[in-house]
Amino acid sequence: MPKKTVQKSEVLVPIEVIQNKIYLIRGHKVMLDVDLAELYGVLTKNLNKAVRRNLERFPGDFMLKLTKEENDALRFQFGTLKQGQHSKYLPFVFTEHGVLMLSSVLNSRRAIHVNIQIMRVFVKLKEVIGSHKELVRKIEGLESQFVTKSQEQDEKIALVFNAIKELLRDKEEAKKKRGPMGFVGYKK
């Protein structure tokens, strides 16, 4: 019986699932060892064993070990904990490069194809962040133009109000200088 190969169009894991497993920790976009193990279809302890056997492949910018505080903060995000579902050890988290390196440590077809999907999600995130930065730059440009135009308009409006006030003042002064207007009747 021939081996089943994964087709290019076949999606092993929906993109949304992968996106929801990417966290921002210490300024890095990372994925938890437990989430990666689930995606790769291996036990977390087996994934971590493979990593420990190849530690030279995972420098500090590829893999981090969470502190107790960081782990507690993440666990709080997950809600209530179910007994036996979470490890008693502090988890490893892998940056984009660490996830890429995992494909060389885990030699299963599923790991390779899931890794490709994860890399595509990281690339899409970079594109979204890049377009977000471009959008922020454009908004700031529009804002500065608006502020400049707004200041010019404020100055013009102030000139109009000053002119109106001046006209009203002139009218009051002219009234005082002229004296009473109209028919001055004669006295009997």
Side-chain angles (χ1 to χ4, degrees), residues 8-187:
K8 271 189 172 182
S9 61
E10 187 178 338
V11 176
L12 295 174
V13 181
I15 290 173
E16 297 80 23
V17 170
I18 296 171
Q19 286 175 336
N20 291 332
K21 294 182 183 294
I22 297 175
Y23 302 97
L24 188 65
I25 297 177
R26 299 183 205 167
H28 299 284
K29 290 185 292 290
V30 297
M31 296 184 75
L32 290 167
D33 57 0
V34 65
D35 291 336
L36 287 164
E38 179 186 329
L39 291 171
Y40 295 144
V42 299
L43 296 174
T44 306
K45 70 178 185 176
N46 291 341
L47 181 135
N48 288 334
K49 278 183 194 176
V51 168
R52 281 191 204 94
R53 282 192 305 262
N54 296 282
L55 274 178
E56 66 279 356
R57 293 178 185 244
F58 297 95
D61 57 333
F62 282 28
M63 179 182 76
L64 312 164
K65 188 165 195 135
L66 291 185
T67 65
K68 182 171 177 7
E69 293 78 24
E70 290 167 335
N71 190 41
D72 290 345
L74 273 178
R75 290 174 77 171
F76 180 74
Q77 285 180 10
F78 299 143
T80 57
L81 301 176
K82 294 178 183 153
Q83 185 131 7
Q85 194 172 7
H86 297 275
S87 173
K88 59 185 176 181
Y89 302 106
L90 293 173
F92 289 118
V93 293
F94 297 87
T95 64
E96 178 180 356
H97 295 101
V99 172
L100 187 58
M101 189 59 72
L102 276 174
S103 67
S104 68
V105 172
L106 302 172
N107 277 336
S108 73
R109 281 185 104 38
R110 178 172 175 87
I112 292 167
H113 291 286
V114 169
N115 239 28
I116 291 168
Q117 285 183 269
I118 292 171
M119 290 301 109
R120 287 182 176 144
V121 169
F122 273 111
V123 168
K124 283 206 185 288
L125 284 174
K126 284 180 184 176
E127 289 171 359
V128 167
I129 289 169
S131 67
H132 176 72
K133 286 179 182 176
E134 178 66 18
L135 184 61
V136 167
R137 189 185 64 73
K138 285 181 179 179
I139 289 172
E140 287 172 349
L142 288 173
E143 184 180 42
S144 68
Q145 286 178 356
F146 175 76
V147 167
T148 304
K149 287 181 181 178
S150 177
Q151 288 170 343
E152 290 171 2
Q153 288 175 345
D154 288 349
E155 290 170 5
K156 289 177 182 175
I157 290 171
L159 284 173
V160 169
F161 279 121
N162 288 337
I164 292 171
K165 287 178 188 175
E166 191 66 35
L167 287 172
L168 291 174
R169 246 185 262 124
D170 288 347
K171 190 175 179 182
E172 287 296 318
E173 288 176 16
K175 224 186 224 186
K176 289 177 186 174
K177 287 180 184 176
R178 251 185 296 178
M181 285 184 67
F183 177 73
V184 178
Y186 84 97
K187 292 184 184 178

